[in-house]
Amino acid sequence: MRADAAGPVVLHAFRGGEWRTSLDTAALPGPRGAPYGLALVPEIVVHADRRRWETARGGLPPLTGRRELLLRAVELFDRGTVTVGGLGAQGPEDFRAALWETAGLPGPLVDRWCGMLRDTLLKRGEAAADDALALVALPGNTFTCLDSVLDQAERSAAVWVRPSRREPVSAARLVAALLAAGWPSLRIGLYPGEQHTLHGLVKRTDRQIVYGGTGLAASVRRSPALTLHGPGRGCALVPGAMPVDEAVAWLLPLVAGDSGRFCGNVRTILCEDGADSTAGTDGATGTDGADDADGADGTDGAVGATGADGADSTAGADGTEGADGGTGSGGARCAALASALAVALDAVSADPTGPDWPLTVFRDPEAAHRALRSVHDRMRPGDRLLTRRPAVTEVDGAPCVLPQLVLLGRGAGHPLLGHEVPFPFAAVLTATPDTVRAVTADSLFVYRPAK
């Protein structure tokens, strides 16, 4: 993926069985400021394409052997050379370079996520196909959500993919890999677009899988055919008797794994305390995730847990938060745990080639600072930032936000509870039974140590 003197490289849309450019484009970040572009599909074109699909679908031959084609496509996605519209022939190293240049995703993380795509496909049962035109609207925080594209490709007559404008490269490569594996070109589409175009895609498809925050949830059309993956607000419950070193070893991957890009990453750590709450239930827990599928302040949507033991998927209604003073023996244990975890997070390397907990960089510097401010602006009197390194370091000319850990002075209604940002971050507090019930009621992912 290289820009040259002739102008910017423009990543194409894929419509009607062909890669196509557009008069409407959006700028993508590039290495050292080199211009890249993304072809956008206007809503009027979406409407016309749906009409053409209705005409074409009756003449399509049955598609058999879907699982074998998908497995081949995933292998090509990871390690093959495929032709991506606007980019040309793209090998595996070109793909990784493009993700680093445009989205700040380091190679070790790309390798891990490719493996997760393959493993998830292998473990999933095969689905019977129907006649639906499906839509998958992707987030920009992780390309593991491409698993939903594979799922809908296997079960639908066709699937249209709406990539995030912050990271469209992986979606385009998967479309190219499907085509190279032999997937019929009329059964797949790539529809980058403005936010309002998403609403047009939702209206003009039969089944929709949409990743986004609560702001998006309020704006899209609700229907039985729409599945919205929103903020996960992952939390971890640490038993009062758990040794600090064991707790830190358990919590570190939950917070720092996948560079904090999964909604299953832990954002709230509850140090359990057996005392009863004394201040009732005043104040709602949690804050919104990303405002939309391309929001900058938060991660974009639910993608599943990070693979740690003991995750409960407990999607609940909004809860309220019991008061907590962080004092007494429970508070002392919590402070000791938080301090030890902060030391471990401060030891996470910003080296993009690191094998343990590789961190991402922000190719849009303002997005990095905006995400960091969203944490600091939510801190309240009595809160303590325990991580000691400067919050931002420069890697390859771009800001890398280092892991952050805040010990909360009080928990009731705190705006950092469940707050999601696209880097490793967690808030720690002592939790009475009332607090535990309130926070877990508002969390999609609740982690307890394996017994």
Side-chain angles (χ1 to χ4, degrees):
M1 189 170 184
R2 294 285 183 265
D4 57 31
V9 170
V10 177
L11 181 61
H12 291 180
F14 190 80
R15 308 171 28 247
E18 298 179 13
W19 292 102
R20 303 170 187 256
T21 188
S22 172
L23 295 177
D24 298 321
T25 61
L28 295 177
R32 306 292 185 262
Y36 290 158
L38 174 66
L40 304 179
V41 180
E43 186 170 359
I44 190 172
V45 174
V46 173
H47 182 61
D49 283 357
R50 172 66 202 225
R51 291 200 307 268
R52 281 191 284 270
W53 163 249
E54 291 296 336
T55 301
R57 82 159 106 192
L60 291 176
L63 178 57
T64 59
R66 296 190 186 207
R67 177 58 61 92
E68 290 74 17
L69 291 175
L70 293 177
L71 288 169
R72 174 62 177 154
V74 168
E75 181 63 26
L76 289 168
F77 177 84
D78 184 6
R79 291 296 167 187
T81 296
V82 297
T83 301
V84 182
L87 309 186
Q90 184 190 67
E93 296 309 317
D94 299 323
F95 172 49
R96 284 154 176 77
L99 285 180
W100 176 247
E101 292 166 354
T102 61
L105 300 181
L109 204 55
V110 175
D111 292 342
R112 168 173 160 77
W113 291 357
C114 286
M116 292 177 68
L117 275 179
R118 180 175 55 254
D119 292 345
T120 303
L121 178 59
L122 287 170
K123 292 175 183 176
R124 189 174 60 231
E126 295 190 35
D130 58 26
D131 200 37
L133 172 60
L135 167 71
V136 179
L138 295 165
N141 54 311
T142 169
F143 67 72
T144 56
C145 297
L146 289 170
D147 173 63
S148 289
V149 176
L150 300 174
D151 178 56
Q152 291 304 311
E154 189 163 29
R155 69 177 62 244
S156 309
V159 57
W160 289 357
V161 183
R162 191 260 190 183
S164 166
R165 283 177 49 179
R166 285 191 286 132
E167 199 287 273
V169 174
S170 60
R173 181 171 172 85
L174 182 61
V175 169
L178 284 165
L179 295 171
W183 202 264
S185 61
L186 291 180
R187 293 184 181 270
I188 186 72
L190 183 71
Y191 282 79
E194 302 284 1
Q195 185 62 34
H196 64 82
T197 308
L198 172 59
H199 302 286
L201 285 164
V202 169
K203 287 189 295 185
R204 293 178 175 90
T205 50
D206 305 317
R207 180 167 54 238
Q208 306 85 27
I209 311 296
V210 178
Y211 291 86
T214 51
L216 177 65
S219 67
V220 296
R221 174 178 62 89
R222 288 289 189 167
S223 77
L226 186 146
T227 301
L228 181 72
H229 295 283
R233 301 191 178 101
C235 71
L237 307 183
V238 183
M242 190 175 190
V244 167
D245 57 344
E246 292 182 15
V248 169
W250 173 59
L251 290 168
L252 181 60
L254 292 174
V255 176
D258 299 292
S259 197
R261 293 297 186 105
F262 284 8
C263 77
N265 280 109
V266 163
R267 310 296 181 171
T268 305
I269 298 170
L270 304 174
C271 301
E272 292 185 314
D273 187 350
D276 291 331
S277 172
T278 59
T281 56
D282 56 328
T285 60
T287 55
D288 292 346
D291 288 339
D292 56 50
D294 292 326
D297 288 345
T299 52
D300 296 290
V303 299
T306 56
D309 291 337
D312 295 330
S313 201
T314 55
D318 290 342
T320 54
E321 220 287 331
D324 156 288
T327 60
S329 60
R333 286 194 302 271
C334 186
L337 167 62
S339 295
L341 180 58
V343 171
L345 289 170
D346 276 337
V348 173
S349 174
D351 181 355
T353 64
D356 295 327
W357 315 115
L359 301 177
T360 56
V361 301
F362 288 75
R363 292 303 179 185
D364 176 3
E366 178 52 34
H369 295 290
R370 187 164 58 245
L372 183 61
R373 284 197 304 271
S374 76
V375 170
H376 293 173
D377 289 350
R378 286 168 169 80
M379 292 181 66
R380 296 294 180 259
D383 297 344
R384 294 166 55 199
L385 178 64
L386 298 184
T387 38
R388 298 301 185 188
R389 289 184 293 180
V392 179
T393 189
E394 186 173 288
V395 177
D396 191 35
C400 172
V401 182
L402 299 173
Q404 303 281 290
L405 190 76
V406 175
L407 179 63
L408 303 186
R410 293 185 64 84
H414 202 294
L416 281 178
L417 292 175
H419 182 56
E420 296 188 352
V421 285
F423 60 86
F425 161 75
V428 187
L429 71 157
T430 308
T432 65
D434 284 353
T435 306
V436 171
R437 283 190 292 271
V439 173
T440 56
D442 202 35
S443 301
L444 183 62
F445 298 100
V446 178
Y447 298 89
R448 297 174 175 85
K451 296 181 180 179

